[in-house]
Amino acid sequence: MSAVVLRGGCRCGALAIEVTLTREPADYVPRACDCSFCQERDAAWLSDPQGVLRLQQRRESASLHLRQGSNQADFVACAHCGTLVMVACEIEGRLYAAVNAHALRDARFAPEQPASPQRLAPEDKRARWRQLWFAEVCIETTAGAA
Ligand SMILES: [Zn+2]
């Protein structure tokens, strides 16, 4: 089947996201991470290793990079409204990322499943992300038109 393009972003619109998925949205199971950081921010992670994730900053310095837990991944949130939109990690020179399914509009995914990445060893985590996450990640800034 053809690719499915979904759009979304943070609440205030400073960050826009667009994902290209290779399967129907209902085939994807967002992973609701059980750590307090993700729970507080209402995150459920979704990724497609064959898909594409694009993050667009529509305002100057719109994204805030946060580190937590084992300090390996970069959580990207809006600097203005705080919405957590994606998580990224550079592994051997390549950026891998997952998107917060709650930041995508009008998408009907499969029911969320709990995930406990905290219990994995650092090396296992990276191996898992490399397998599961988007391997094609673009981060663009379109700010400055004002
Ligand atoms: Zn925002």
Side-chain angles (χ1 to χ4, degrees):
M1 60 154 279
S2 54
V4 176
V5 177
L6 299 174
R7 291 188 178 80
C10 69
R11 280 187 294 271
C12 77
L15 293 178
I17 41 180
E18 184 188 286
V19 295
T20 307
L21 303 177
T22 53
R23 294 175 277 138
E24 289 293 343
D27 280 356
Y28 293 82
V29 178
R31 298 178 296 278
C33 173
D34 65 1
C35 81
S36 54
F37 180 90
C38 288
Q39 280 186 341
E40 272 166 31
R41 290 166 181 78
D42 189 31
W45 303 108
L46 184 134
S47 54
D48 181 339
Q50 271 85 49
V52 183
L53 169 56
R54 211 177 278 277
L55 173 76
Q56 219 175 60
Q57 300 193 70
R58 291 183 169 156
R59 280 164 74 178
E60 211 68 55
S61 30
S63 65
L64 206 64
H65 293 246
L66 311 163
R67 286 277 169 118
Q68 71 87 41
S70 56
N71 224 19
Q72 294 195 81
D74 243 344
F75 289 85
V76 181
C78 174
H80 304 284
C81 70
T83 308
L84 186 61
V85 294
M86 75 173 215
V87 58
C89 182
E90 197 178 301
I91 303 171
E92 285 167 26
R94 177 161 204 148
L95 192 65
Y96 291 84
V99 68
N100 182 359
H102 297 156
L104 293 169
R105 278 190 300 269
D106 307 323
R108 289 193 183 86
F109 300 115
E112 291 170 14
Q113 297 276 316
S116 305
Q118 303 181 87
R119 285 203 287 266
L120 295 173
E123 271 318 297
D124 296 343
K125 264 189 216 175
R126 293 167 78 91
R128 192 178 148 80
W129 296 341
R130 200 174 173 163
Q131 255 180 11
L132 290 176
W133 284 8
F134 289 97
E136 203 175 323
V137 181
C138 317
I139 299 179
E140 306 160 348
T141 303
T142 53

